[in-house]
Structure formats: structure tokens, C-alpha cells
Amino acid sequence: MAEPLLAVSGLRAGYGDVQVLWGVDFAVHPGEIACLVGSNGAGKTTLLRALSGLLPPSEGSIRFAGGELAGASPERVLGAGIAHVPEGRRLFAAMSVRDNLLMGAYLRRDGAAALARDLERIYEVFPILAERRAQDAGTLSGGEQQMCAVARGLMSAPRLLLIDELSLGLAPAVVDQLSDALRALNREGLTLLVVEQDVATALELARDCHVMDSGRITRSAPSEALRNDPAIREAYLGVI
Ligand SMILES: Nc1ncnc2c1ncn2[C@@H]1O[C@H](COP(=O)(O)OP(=O)(O)OP(=O)(O)O)[C@@H](O)[C@H]1O
Ligand SMILES: [Mg+2]
């Protein structure tokens, strides 16, 4: 198998005296969709925050595309090619959809033509955002907001997109639409790491799935293997 795009080892992080990540080890390969699942409070959001430079790790390594990113600032991580779609979307509610998307590109220096081309591609993938481009982001539906948040992440032209809670609060039809869009982007070369509370959705979307428990990755396996695993079926899929 090819070298991993992202290789995390021994990663520890927390908030003040509260340690949350207790030595996280896992890898994401170029061109794949990987999922991170785990119960509430397991540390999934904390892990994504540590990966994107928002929370400095106390120990461990984050290798990305041949470089070391542990301790790097959010700007450096974004510049290196990792974008983060946060839990709760965090759009600029009083700004238009288009301006939200352009905010995602603030670090790019590859010129207006490249930005315009990427914006057009995003409007192809999410036609509803093209329709709503002049509308304030705060007026979008939940599903549209999630599309806008994903699209804003894409506007940094990342190699790896981290998405926290892809489907939370969204209707199944919207989740299907988002999943289809992510698959299309993945076919064009984007690598994805998706935190997903709905394990059935996660296993359907991802090639590899990582299970997080109490600040560690306790299981990493192809989705296919997890789907047929009795313990996973009982704990997460509600089938015995
Ligand atoms: N800012 C913070 N200060 C202190 N503790 C925090 C902070 N943010 C998170 N925690 C704690 O870290 C632990 C992991 O939280 P985290 O949000 O990473 O979990 P999660 O797996 O994303 O959960 P969920 O599925 O509910 O989103 C929890 O015990 C939480 O209370
Ligand atoms: Mg979370």
C-alpha cells in the first residue's frame, strides 16, 4: 500500500489539566475516505482540533505528506493542505454564501482565476449553493449550511478534508446528497476523514473506519470487516 497521507502516532492532548487524547495512533491513505466513530466524549472533536492546529498536542507526531505538523499553527496546517469543517458548522451567519466560501480561500495565493474556477466547481457539486450564493448563510437550512461549511473547507484546495459530525441533525435524503457529493470529490482525488455519529452511514461511506474510545483508537479496520463484526453490530448498529 502507498505511504499514508496522514500518520498520527502517540498523540496526546487535552484542556489544561484534563487529558483527553491518550496516545492516538492511526493513518489515512491518499485517495481514501476514512471515518472516525466513537461514543460521545470519546475525543473525536478533540482529535480533529489537534490535527488542525487548534489545540496544541502535548506529545506525539502528526506526519502529513512527508512533513511534521504537531505543534504547527492552524494557518500552517491549512497551508500544508488540511482543512477542517467544524462541529456546528460555524458559518459567518451575516455574510453571503459566496463570501463564506471565499473566506475558506483566504490563505491562497494562486490568483483570482483559480479561485473562480474552484468556486464554479463547487457550485456544480452543490447546485443549491449557486442558487443561494447571494443569500446570508444564516438563512440557509441545516443541510444547506452543512454543504456551505464543506464547500468553505474545499475552497482552501485541501488534500485532506476533516469533517466533524457530517450528518448530525440532517434528514436522510440530505445525508445521501452530501455523501454523494463527497464521493464525487473523492473520485477527483480528495482524501477525507469524517467523524460520523451514525455508524451505518460511516461504514457505507468509508473504506476504512477507526473506532475511538476514551481518547485512543481501539480498532482500525476496513468498513466491510466492521460491518460484519458481531461486537460492532451489537454496540453501534443495533443488531444482534
Ligand atoms: N474546551 C474544553 N475544556 C475542557 N474539556 C473539554 C473541552 N472540550 C471537550 N472537553 C472534554 O473532552 C472530552 C472529549 O470531548 P470531545 O468533544 O472531543 O468528544 P467527542 O468524541 O467529539 O464527543 P461528541 O460525540 O459528543 O461530539 C470530553 O470529556 C469533554 O468534556
Ligand atoms: Mg464531537
Side-chain angles (χ1 to χ4, degrees), residues 45 87 164-165:
T45 295
E87 201 173 11
D164 200 353
E165 301 293 3

Side-chain angles (χ1 to χ4, degrees), residues 69-101:
L69 289 182
S73 67
E75 288 74 22
R76 217 188 108 210
V77 172
L78 189 61
I82 301 180
H84 181 175
V85 181
E87 201 173 11
R89 291 133 206 178
R90 306 285 162 89
L91 295 172
F92 303 100
M95 281 169 55
S96 70
V97 166
R98 182 174 178 280
D99 287 346
N100 268 275
L101 299 183

Side-chain angles (χ1 to χ4, degrees), residues 14 32-33 51 55 59 63 79 81 92 105 108 157-158 165 169 197 199 207 209 213 221 238:
E32 78 163 322
I33 302 180
L51 294 179
L55 180 70
E59 262 182 75
R63 301 280 307 167
F92 303 100
R108 285 176 64 175
E165 301 293 3
Q197 41 85 38
V199 176
R207 189 190 72 184
C209 212
D213 186 18

